[in-house]
Amino acid sequence: MTSFPDNFLWGASTSAFQIEGGYMEGGKGLATTDMGTGGPDVADNKVASDHFHHWKEDVDLMAELGMKVYRMGFSWSRIMPDTTGIPNAEGLEFYDQLINYLLEKGIQPFVTLYHFECPMAPVEEFGGWASRKMIDLYLKYAEICFKHFKGRIKMWATVNEQLIATSSGRLNGNTEKDPKQYAKVLYQMSYHVSLAEHKAISLLREIDSEATIGPVCAIQVIYPRTCKPEDILAAEYAEEMMQYYLLDMSVYGKYPPYFESYLKKHGLYPHTEEDDAVCLQDSKPDFIGINYYFSGCVEAREDGPEYGIFPPWAIGDYKMCENPHVLKTEWMANGIDPKGLMAGLRKTYHRYRLPMIICENGMAYSETLGEDHKIHDTYRIDYLTQHILQVKEAVDEGYPVFGYCPWSFIDVVSSHQGFSKRYGLIYIDRTEKDVKECKRYKKDSFYWYQNVIKNNGL
Ligand code: BG6
């Protein structure tokens, strides 16, 4: 029996566009994620898990599970459908009901403002994050949320996985065709997101000094392929190009030297303005949200940067490669590596000295409901057990990890691979194309996790 500290926040995670559905209902504006989530053969997010119509039943299930915290997202385009800065009353009403019911059930809402879903209006009007105008719009959206939910939402996340949010043109509207120019826009967008994040943190301090806020980072635990010094350095470069440049900006308001010189050397450094440095260094997050699914492995790159494949993995003095020591499965192509979570927590804390909460960690699997209406997901129970054990070890060693939220509370539409790739503790009865009634069925992992929470440990 491994017991966690009494106030440890056990929870579970989702994001708005991956569960809500309610496409264009209740005054919602269009978002990039409404344009499809991964091609013609996979589910889009128009219905997703139909949480928009099942939210009450879902909160009841959260209460039954015993969740203390619910890591969820707001849909920016549901709250602010256009660029006028005027909130959509029906959108706020939807979240009012949800937040109030969560609080009634004793579940703390932990809300991400920006989780991949970029409203289309600013993308069409001025190119979204490519323009500084987006900073003001995000700030307006944040202000609406901070004021409206003051006293009810006490934990906010600024941005989910800035690495992916700024790299995926499908998510942020970067339509540059030339691969190098695409990368330049990517880093400009990322710089604007960092500015927006800092301004939002400062704003929250003014509006609600009791609430806390932090970024959610997809931590990159990168191993060198061999002990060749070149490979060791390549792993360090890779972590800097995929994680530290983002978190250094979130926490210290500046880029690490290698990243900065790399961008300058390759003509990718973003346009900055005079007062930016003050704004970037004026605020600091309260915590770091950690997403972790798998680790990565690299070797040194001798040739120049390779543009045109998915940028975060491609640009830098390193090449991604296979790690023969981790177990790969159908949907976990990079392999399963619980120890990587421990490595990531250690490195993140050593560099930033901030409390951490696991916001996402989960095991994807193709599942179909048996005749008994059950899903015997022992593979998921095993995955979560192994990772929770690493969190426990980190806590025992003195690392301040204050919560754990597996991805995902219910099956959701994947960020880019449809509905066959399932992570949930609860099965949603639908297929890629047939949404049926989206009935909820508790998987074996639901009951298992219910016990973990009840026993405050494994
Ligand atoms: C994280 C995201 O990157 O990974 C989630 O924050 C996403 O939105 C999750 O769903 C799993 O990735 P995928 O691509 O399998 O949905």
Side-chain angles (χ1 to χ4, degrees):
M1 177 86 173
T2 54
S3 232
F4 279 71
D6 284 346
N7 53 358
F8 193 76
L9 289 177
W10 294 103
S13 252
T14 63
S15 82
F17 82 93
Q18 293 177 274
I19 58 160
E20 278 182 12
Y23 172 73
M24 302 305 280
E25 283 184 66
K28 181 187 173 310
L30 273 179
T32 47
T33 42
D34 291 323
M35 306 296 142
T37 52
D41 299 329
V42 298
D44 58 30
N45 72 334
K46 294 197 168 69
V47 173
S49 318
D50 204 21
H51 174 71
F52 191 69
H53 300 109
H54 289 254
W55 63 269
K56 198 155 195 254
E57 178 187 352
D58 289 342
V59 176
D60 285 334
L61 285 162
M62 291 175 205
E64 184 181 337
L65 185 58
M67 279 164 55
K68 298 180 192 316
V69 66
Y70 174 37
R71 189 271 177 150
M72 55 176 280
F74 277 171
S75 156
W76 180 343
S77 62
R78 192 178 290 292
I79 290 181
M80 251 178 55
D82 53 33
T83 54
T84 59
I86 301 168
N88 165 34
E90 276 183 87
L92 287 173
E93 223 170 274
F94 170 68
Y95 291 119
D96 274 334
Q97 293 176 327
L98 176 60
I99 298 295
N100 292 346
Y101 198 49
L102 282 165
L103 293 172
E104 192 183 318
K105 293 283 168 185
I107 301 165
Q108 183 180 340
F110 167 20
V111 176
T112 306
L113 287 169
Y114 181 59
H115 189 130
F116 295 171
E117 186 225 291
C118 198
M120 276 311 282
V123 169
E124 279 165 353
E125 277 175 42
F126 50 74
W129 287 110
S131 160
R132 284 179 87 95
K133 287 187 193 160
M134 194 66 163
I135 302 172
D136 296 332
L137 202 66
Y138 173 85
L139 214 62
K140 187 73 212 154
Y141 161 56
E143 183 187 351
I144 291 165
C145 295
F146 296 160
K147 287 191 172 154
H148 189 84
F149 294 98
K150 180 175 174 179
R152 289 185 286 165
I153 297 178
K154 300 198 170 134
M155 261 177 92
W156 294 95
T158 49
V159 178
N160 177 72
E161 297 190 359
Q162 190 173 340
L163 176 73
I164 304 297
T166 54
S167 307
S168 166
R170 189 173 53 76
L171 297 173
N172 60 37
N174 182 351
T175 51
E176 272 301 332
K177 293 279 174 289
D178 174 67
K180 184 159 182 196
Q181 193 54 28
Y182 182 96
K184 187 152 171 61
V185 175
L186 181 171
Y187 288 113
Q188 187 67 57
M189 285 184 162
S190 189
Y191 181 72
H192 291 157
V193 171
S194 298
L195 277 167
E197 172 171 83
H198 276 282
K199 289 185 182 217
I201 296 175
S202 299
L203 187 69
L204 182 69
R205 306 286 183 233
E206 280 169 33
I207 295 175
D208 187 354
S209 59
E210 296 195 346
T212 58
I213 189 161
V216 174
C217 176
I219 53 163
Q220 303 294 313
V221 179
I222 308 293
Y223 305 121
R225 174 144 188 249
T226 71
C227 56
K228 241 175 42 185
E230 288 80 359
D231 287 348
I232 307 266
L233 265 177
E236 293 199 2
Y237 294 147
E239 287 184 342
E240 199 161 319
M241 293 296 286
M242 295 195 281
Q243 167 174 347
Y244 292 139
Y245 91 85
L246 298 161
L247 281 181
D248 277 18
M249 274 302 245
S250 295
V251 179
Y252 303 126
K254 25 180 167 176
Y255 289 137
Y258 163 78
F259 178 80
E260 186 166 330
S261 71
Y262 185 93
L263 290 199
K264 285 183 174 158
K265 184 164 127 200
H266 293 284
L268 299 171
Y269 198 75
H271 169 77
T272 63
E273 288 185 10
E274 215 183 307
D275 298 333
D276 290 355
V278 179
C279 157
L280 288 166
Q281 283 154 38
D282 225 26
S283 65
K284 206 175 162 173
D286 299 293
F287 59 83
I288 296 176
I290 305 278
N291 290 357
Y292 176 79
Y293 292 85
F294 44 72
S295 53
C297 190
V298 297
E299 58 193 345
R301 177 189 285 284
E302 260 96 53
D303 45 0
E306 191 180 352
Y307 300 107
I309 50 176
F310 196 44
W313 325 118
I315 301 172
D317 297 322
Y318 60 91
K319 268 186 201 166
M320 302 305 292
C321 60
E322 292 272 309
N323 180 349
H325 303 287
V326 293
L327 173 75
K328 299 172 184 70
T329 66
E330 181 195 6
W331 289 119
M332 309 295 279
N334 287 326
I336 295 176
D337 175 23
K339 289 249 180 268
L341 177 55
M342 175 59 140
L345 289 171
R346 286 168 53 87
K347 290 197 231 191
T348 307
Y349 184 68
H350 293 160
R351 190 154 173 142
Y352 303 108
R353 300 274 156 179
L354 283 174
M356 297 171 287
I357 174 165
I358 315 286
C359 293
E360 291 181 31
N361 173 231
M363 163 83 178
Y365 211 85
S366 300
E367 291 159 330
T368 19
L369 204 60
E371 286 196 351
D372 54 358
H373 287 154
K374 293 201 157 63
I375 301 283
H376 303 295
D377 52 346
T378 42
Y379 37 86
R380 182 168 295 111
I381 294 173
D382 188 50
Y383 178 100
L384 296 175
T385 301
Q386 296 311 320
H387 287 79
I388 290 174
L389 283 172
Q390 294 303 313
V391 178
K392 178 65 170 65
E393 212 170 307
V395 169
D396 286 349
E397 284 178 11
Y399 290 88
V401 185
F402 63 95
Y404 177 82
C405 298
W407 182 267
S408 46
F409 168 59
I410 52 180
D411 288 339
V412 304
V413 63
S414 151
S415 66
H416 66 299
Q417 288 169 312
F419 222 95
S420 309
K421 186 182 189 186
R422 294 169 183 266
Y423 289 88
L425 304 169
I426 293 172
Y427 183 86
I428 301 294
D429 189 19
R430 61 159 291 174
T431 64
E432 294 290 358
K433 294 292 172 185
D434 183 0
V435 298
K436 303 192 216 174
E437 293 167 48
C438 284
K439 279 197 181 149
R440 277 79 173 127
Y441 294 94
K442 293 166 234 169
K443 302 182 190 176
D444 286 2
S445 56
F446 177 95
Y447 297 105
W448 165 83
Y449 191 51
Q450 188 181 46
N451 266 321
V452 173
I453 299 179
K454 192 154 70 192
N455 298 329
N456 195 23
L458 289 164

